[in-house]
Amino acid sequence: MQVRDVMTPSVVTVSREDSAETAAKIMGRHGIGAVPVVSGEEICGILTDRDIVLRCISNGKDPKNCKAEEIMTSSVVKVSPDAPVDQLAKEMCRNQIRRVPVVQEGHLIGMASLCDLSRNACDRDAVQALFDISMP
C-alpha cells in the first residue's frame, strides 16, 4: 500500500503572513490540528494548534498580530505519494509527528495523518509506528 492510498487529498493551507488567529479559525472550521504554511505553491512550514498555544499565546503574543511564519515549524518532513505506507509510519515515528504533507514534484497534493494511518494500518510496522508515535 502506498501513501496515496491513505492520504487525505484535500489540503487547507495558510500563508506565511496569515495571523495565528486566522490559522486557528481555519483549523476550527475544518476540524483539523495542523495546516501547511505556503509561500506561493511551496511549503515553507507547518503550523499546529499546539504551536499557536505554546509559541504564541503562552508567550504573550497577540494571535491577531502574530504571523504564521513567526511560530511555524520550518523544517517540514514530507513524503511522496508513491512511498510505501510503512515508510510513512517510520518517518512519523522517527520524527514523533502526527501529520506529514504529501508532495509530488514540489506540489502539495495531500496530507497523511496518524488518523489516516490508523484507519488503514495493515501491517506490523504501521501498527508499531502508531504505538511509538504516541509514546512520550
Side-chain angles (χ1 to χ4, degrees):
M1 184 176 288
Q2 296 177 313
V3 170
R4 76 173 66 257
D5 300 320
V6 300
M7 72 179 198
T8 300
S10 55
V11 183
V12 179
T13 64
V14 296
S15 75
R16 297 164 59 120
E17 292 77 31
D18 281 332
S19 69
E21 179 184 58
T22 297
K25 287 180 179 179
I26 288 170
M27 287 183 213
R29 185 170 37 247
H30 294 277
I32 55 178
V35 289
V37 180
V38 296
S39 179
E41 291 186 19
E42 184 177 322
I43 297 176
C44 55
I46 192 160
L47 183 62
T48 68
D49 46 8
R50 182 174 165 89
D51 293 331
I52 293 170
V53 171
L54 295 180
R55 296 179 181 168
C56 177
I57 296 169
S58 70
N59 285 328
K61 295 180 180 179
D62 179 358
K64 292 180 181 181
N65 299 316
C66 182
K67 294 182 180 181
E69 69 182 344
E70 295 174 43
I71 57 173
M72 70 183 187
T73 299
S74 56
S75 57
V76 181
V77 175
K78 303 170 197 157
V79 67
S80 163
D82 300 321
V85 170
D86 65 330
Q87 180 183 339
L88 168 65
K90 288 175 185 174
E91 285 299 317
M92 293 173 95
C93 180
R94 182 179 304 120
N95 293 284
Q96 289 286 294
I97 55 177
R98 298 173 187 267
R99 303 160 188 98
V100 180
V102 182
V103 177
Q104 185 172 37
E105 297 176 12
H107 299 289
L108 179 65
I109 64 162
M111 287 288 283
S113 70
L114 180 60
C115 184
D116 296 327
L117 188 59
S118 67
R119 278 191 294 236
N120 296 285
C122 59
D123 63 25
R124 188 177 323 154
D125 287 341
V127 173
Q128 183 63 46
L130 293 173
F131 177 77
D132 291 345
I133 292 165
S134 299
M135 295 302 291

